[in-house]
Amino acid sequence: MSNKNKDLKSAISNEATTDTDLEIFLQNIDYTELLDVPQFKDVKNLLVIIMSIVADALSSKWDDSRYSRDIDE
């Protein structure tokens, strides 16, 4: 895993790296290996919590006049 981390850091810090380069890099990762990495599990759990907070915030704006408009049909 550490070699992939080094490769990713190198790719991100290189201004010549294109989006296509990053897509190819990401397509070549075996994500099933990550399921056993404690840091991945921690970050994944935090992401779920953050996404839930964002969803709640967006949901609370559903009827807010700033974000909703009446549409004439």
Side-chain angles (χ1 to χ4, degrees), residues 37-55:
V37 177
Q39 297 90 337
F40 177 79
K41 291 178 183 179
D42 292 343
V43 170
K44 183 179 175 188
N45 290 336
L46 286 174
L47 184 57
V48 168
I49 292 168
I50 291 166
M51 289 174 63
S52 178
I53 292 168
V54 170

Side-chain angles (χ1 to χ4, degrees), residues 2 10 13 17 19 24-27 34 41 45 59-60 71:
S2 65
S10 174
S13 63
T17 301
D19 288 345
I24 292 168
F25 175 83
L26 293 172
Q27 289 171 357
L34 290 174
K41 291 178 183 179
N45 290 336
S59 181
S60 73
I71 300 174

Side-chain angles (χ1 to χ4, degrees), residues 15-43:
E15 292 182 18
T17 301
T18 65
D19 288 345
T20 303
D21 295 332
L22 290 176
E23 285 178 30
I24 292 168
F25 175 83
L26 293 172
Q27 289 171 357
N28 290 316
I29 292 176
D30 181 3
Y31 289 97
T32 57
E33 289 178 17
L34 290 174
L35 298 176
D36 296 324
V37 177
Q39 297 90 337
F40 177 79
K41 291 178 183 179
D42 292 343
V43 170

